[in-house]
Amino acid sequence: DKRHSSSFTSLFLCLTQTVLAMVLTNSTKLESILDKYSDKDEEWWRARSRGKRAISEGDMHLILDLHNKLRGQVHPPASNMEYMVWDYELERSAEHWAYSCRWEHGPSHMLTQIGQNLGAHWGRDRPPTYHVQAWYDEVRYYSYPYSQECNPHCPFRCSGPVCTHYTQLVWATSNRIGCAINVCYNMNVWGMIWAKAVYLVCNYSPPGNWWGHAPYKYGAPCSACPASYGGGCRDNLCYKDGGVDRRPAPELEETNYIEPEPEPVRDREPQPRAQTPNPSPNDNLERNQVVSTEQMCQQVDCETKLRDRCKGTTCNRYECPPGCLDSPGKVVGTGYYDMQSSVCGAALHSGVIDNDGGWLDVTRLGRKQQFTKSYKNGIQSLGKNRSANSYKVESVPVKAVRCDTTVALFCPFKKPVRHCPRLYCPRNCLHDSQTRVIGTKYYADKSSICRAAIHAGVIQNESGGYLDVMPVDKRNQYSGSYQNGITSESLLNPTSGKAFRVFAVI
């Protein structure tokens, strides 16, 4: 479900049986993160300061109150709709998933134990209740008691009318909720890269949302409440005293298990060594496991001058820390800047980054005769009336590529040297046998970028991820090797084409 305006985009991910079949390869890692907090009790979690929790007290109450308001006004009316309370354990699990910045439901091992609604937006600020209301507004695609028009195709991209957020929101027996909000930088949302995605994760319990089942019973409000509510009713909802209850006794009227569909073959994890060469007995496979943490992007301080950073090296890509508006350093020029200028200060002045910091690309422009002063984006730059070397700053675009994308097609080497976007590779490119990898460390530009990155140890096959590419002039030869399950080719005296290197993004 997409909602567009000139400066805002919002997406929602549908929760269906097919979505539940999705397998998250790093669930073990997430389990270890969850274990870190397993000994913390409710009071510790509730007492966390606003700065440390992934949702403010105000947003928590807004989300909870709107859920109960909407649950109490369903049409036709519900006879067994339960009042929803906040659950700090569900908040904790939502927080860890929000921090993963994955636009998919998860972690997979919890999806039979919880329900989940996801929302994300970029652009101008929106309260989290915007997503909650949009989930409920899917009612226009739903006809009580069963889904009719609403039957989207999932899980890789939900297309068609979606109403599963609505049915989860008004699922009568889902009486506990916990949500978290996180800002995800360069989040991959179905192949689109959002520079600053505001990611909302809401977990529900007990789970429900079955296909072919009504989300609630039709009848006079509170006329069919479970006995545990003792006849209490509030705003058309089954209600009992107490605002927050972590572990109420589960209702046994229905089972909550959703049978997952078989996992698609293309998403299954490949068998270890299924397509790797047969090594000789003298080979040590462990020596073929390579991890590269070399980065093209340099981290700089707020006041670092480009002249100091670029002595004897090629200026390229930089990462500025947050908070540089307080100490931006000296900035000389407008549009193009003197080499004595602070890299981050120039980026702030030009509007390439904001006070949250971020990435930028630098291009040297040679000597300029004068530099103009101006006040922009909270930074006052200085003027200069004598000749000096200059540079310009630009934002770093991020693009998602396929396993078979090559540098020759995507970002070929040219003079003067240009910047390539930061790239995002999908998972499971290891066994894409139709794509070539030529070289080691330096790769021929006809090579698959993503497979070369796996070969170099810049990304892992199971997770994919971000990387930087640096196109360079051609090599006289390319040496093949076996690394990380990929055998690259050798090439002597190439007659055409250029080369590239891949770098980690950490």
PDB file of all heavy atoms in Angstrom, residues 62-73:
ATOM      1  N   LEU A  62      -0.592   7.666  22.659  1.00  0.00           N
ATOM      2  CA  LEU A  62      -1.334   7.995  21.453  1.00  0.00           C
ATOM      3  C   LEU A  62      -1.679   6.745  20.650  1.00  0.00           C
ATOM      4  O   LEU A  62      -2.815   6.574  20.187  1.00  0.00           O
ATOM      5  CB  LEU A  62      -0.515   8.957  20.585  1.00  0.00           C
ATOM      6  CG  LEU A  62      -0.418  10.412  21.060  1.00  0.00           C
ATOM      7  CD1 LEU A  62       0.583  11.175  20.201  1.00  0.00           C
ATOM      8  CD2 LEU A  62      -1.779  11.089  21.027  1.00  0.00           C
ATOM      9  N   ILE A  63      -0.706   5.848  20.497  1.00  0.00           N
ATOM     10  CA  ILE A  63      -0.932   4.617  19.743  1.00  0.00           C
ATOM     11  C   ILE A  63      -1.961   3.740  20.446  1.00  0.00           C
ATOM     12  O   ILE A  63      -2.890   3.217  19.829  1.00  0.00           O
ATOM     13  CB  ILE A  63       0.398   3.856  19.558  1.00  0.00           C
ATOM     14  CG1 ILE A  63       1.309   4.606  18.569  1.00  0.00           C
ATOM     15  CG2 ILE A  63       0.153   2.427  19.075  1.00  0.00           C
ATOM     16  CD1 ILE A  63       2.690   4.023  18.452  1.00  0.00           C
ATOM     17  N   LEU A  64      -1.788   3.571  21.751  1.00  0.00           N
ATOM     18  CA  LEU A  64      -2.687   2.704  22.502  1.00  0.00           C
ATOM     19  C   LEU A  64      -4.109   3.262  22.514  1.00  0.00           C
ATOM     20  O   LEU A  64      -5.085   2.532  22.271  1.00  0.00           O
ATOM     21  CB  LEU A  64      -2.162   2.547  23.933  1.00  0.00           C
ATOM     22  CG  LEU A  64      -2.959   1.637  24.860  1.00  0.00           C
ATOM     23  CD1 LEU A  64      -3.031   0.218  24.299  1.00  0.00           C
ATOM     24  CD2 LEU A  64      -2.349   1.632  26.264  1.00  0.00           C
ATOM     25  N   ASP A  65      -4.242   4.557  22.769  1.00  0.00           N
ATOM     26  CA  ASP A  65      -5.585   5.156  22.829  1.00  0.00           C
ATOM     27  C   ASP A  65      -6.296   5.078  21.486  1.00  0.00           C
ATOM     28  O   ASP A  65      -7.515   4.822  21.430  1.00  0.00           O
ATOM     29  CB  ASP A  65      -5.494   6.614  23.292  1.00  0.00           C
ATOM     30  CG  ASP A  65      -5.071   6.743  24.756  1.00  0.00           C
ATOM     31  OD1 ASP A  65      -5.097   5.714  25.460  1.00  0.00           O
ATOM     32  OD2 ASP A  65      -4.706   7.853  25.171  1.00  0.00           O
ATOM     33  N   LEU A  66      -5.553   5.296  20.383  1.00  0.00           N
ATOM     34  CA  LEU A  66      -6.187   5.236  19.077  1.00  0.00           C
ATOM     35  C   LEU A  66      -6.598   3.806  18.738  1.00  0.00           C
ATOM     36  O   LEU A  66      -7.673   3.578  18.157  1.00  0.00           O
ATOM     37  CB  LEU A  66      -5.254   5.790  17.995  1.00  0.00           C
ATOM     38  CG  LEU A  66      -5.847   5.860  16.587  1.00  0.00           C
ATOM     39  CD1 LEU A  66      -7.163   6.655  16.568  1.00  0.00           C
ATOM     40  CD2 LEU A  66      -4.852   6.464  15.596  1.00  0.00           C
ATOM     41  N   HIS A  67      -5.783   2.828  19.109  1.00  0.00           N
ATOM     42  CA  HIS A  67      -6.187   1.429  18.902  1.00  0.00           C
ATOM     43  C   HIS A  67      -7.516   1.150  19.599  1.00  0.00           C
ATOM     44  O   HIS A  67      -8.429   0.575  18.990  1.00  0.00           O
ATOM     45  CB  HIS A  67      -5.108   0.478  19.425  1.00  0.00           C
ATOM     46  CG  HIS A  67      -4.072   0.095  18.417  1.00  0.00           C
ATOM     47  ND1 HIS A  67      -3.066   0.935  18.018  1.00  0.00           N
ATOM     48  CD2 HIS A  67      -3.889  -1.067  17.711  1.00  0.00           C
ATOM     49  CE1 HIS A  67      -2.296   0.331  17.122  1.00  0.00           C
ATOM     50  NE2 HIS A  67      -2.788  -0.890  16.916  1.00  0.00           N
ATOM     51  N   ASN A  68      -7.616   1.533  20.851  1.00  0.00           N
ATOM     52  CA  ASN A  68      -8.850   1.242  21.590  1.00  0.00           C
ATOM     53  C   ASN A  68     -10.045   2.029  21.044  1.00  0.00           C
ATOM     54  O   ASN A  68     -11.167   1.507  20.991  1.00  0.00           O
ATOM     55  CB  ASN A  68      -8.638   1.522  23.075  1.00  0.00           C
ATOM     56  CG  ASN A  68      -7.878   0.400  23.766  1.00  0.00           C
ATOM     57  OD1 ASN A  68      -8.115  -0.779  23.489  1.00  0.00           O
ATOM     58  ND2 ASN A  68      -6.966   0.759  24.648  1.00  0.00           N
ATOM     59  N   LYS A  69      -9.810   3.262  20.642  1.00  0.00           N
ATOM     60  CA  LYS A  69     -10.896   4.037  20.056  1.00  0.00           C
ATOM     61  C   LYS A  69     -11.425   3.361  18.787  1.00  0.00           C
ATOM     62  O   LYS A  69     -12.642   3.208  18.604  1.00  0.00           O
ATOM     63  CB  LYS A  69     -10.407   5.452  19.735  1.00  0.00           C
ATOM     64  CG  LYS A  69     -11.440   6.305  18.997  1.00  0.00           C
ATOM     65  CD  LYS A  69     -10.845   7.658  18.599  1.00  0.00           C
ATOM     66  CE  LYS A  69     -11.831   8.450  17.752  1.00  0.00           C
ATOM     67  NZ  LYS A  69     -11.251   9.744  17.300  1.00  0.00           N
ATOM     68  N   LEU A  70     -10.497   2.949  17.912  1.00  0.00           N
ATOM     69  CA  LEU A  70     -10.902   2.340  16.651  1.00  0.00           C
ATOM     70  C   LEU A  70     -11.520   0.966  16.868  1.00  0.00           C
ATOM     71  O   LEU A  70     -12.479   0.587  16.185  1.00  0.00           O
ATOM     72  CB  LEU A  70      -9.691   2.239  15.711  1.00  0.00           C
ATOM     73  CG  LEU A  70      -9.077   3.588  15.282  1.00  0.00           C
ATOM     74  CD1 LEU A  70      -7.782   3.364  14.513  1.00  0.00           C
ATOM     75  CD2 LEU A  70     -10.071   4.389  14.449  1.00  0.00           C
ATOM     76  N   ARG A  71     -11.003   0.207  17.819  1.00  0.00           N
ATOM     77  CA  ARG A  71     -11.558  -1.110  18.113  1.00  0.00           C
ATOM     78  C   ARG A  71     -12.993  -0.999  18.643  1.00  0.00           C
ATOM     79  O   ARG A  71     -13.817  -1.882  18.417  1.00  0.00           O
ATOM     80  CB  ARG A  71     -10.666  -1.842  19.128  1.00  0.00           C
ATOM     81  CG  ARG A  71      -9.359  -2.343  18.524  1.00  0.00           C
ATOM     82  CD  ARG A  71      -8.342  -2.719  19.604  1.00  0.00           C
ATOM     83  NE  ARG A  71      -8.738  -3.889  20.385  1.00  0.00           N
ATOM     84  CZ  ARG A  71      -8.475  -5.147  20.055  1.00  0.00           C
ATOM     85  NH1 ARG A  71      -7.861  -5.424  18.903  1.00  0.00           N
ATOM     86  NH2 ARG A  71      -8.832  -6.147  20.852  1.00  0.00           N
ATOM     87  N   GLY A  72     -13.271   0.107  19.352  1.00  0.00           N
ATOM     88  CA  GLY A  72     -14.600   0.277  19.926  1.00  0.00           C
ATOM     89  C   GLY A  72     -15.642   0.790  18.952  1.00  0.00           C
ATOM     90  O   GLY A  72     -16.823   0.838  19.308  1.00  0.00           O
ATOM     91  N   GLN A  73     -15.236   1.159  17.737  1.00  0.00           N
ATOM     92  CA  GLN A  73     -16.197   1.738  16.797  1.00  0.00           C
ATOM     93  C   GLN A  73     -16.342   0.912  15.526  1.00  0.00           C
ATOM     94  O   GLN A  73     -16.838   1.417  14.521  1.00  0.00           O
ATOM     95  CB  GLN A  73     -15.760   3.169  16.442  1.00  0.00           C
ATOM     96  CG  GLN A  73     -14.470   3.262  15.642  1.00  0.00           C
ATOM     97  CD  GLN A  73     -14.073   4.710  15.340  1.00  0.00           C
ATOM     98  OE1 GLN A  73     -14.293   5.608  16.140  1.00  0.00           O
ATOM     99  NE2 GLN A  73     -13.491   4.931  14.171  1.00  0.00           N
TER     100      GLN A  73
END
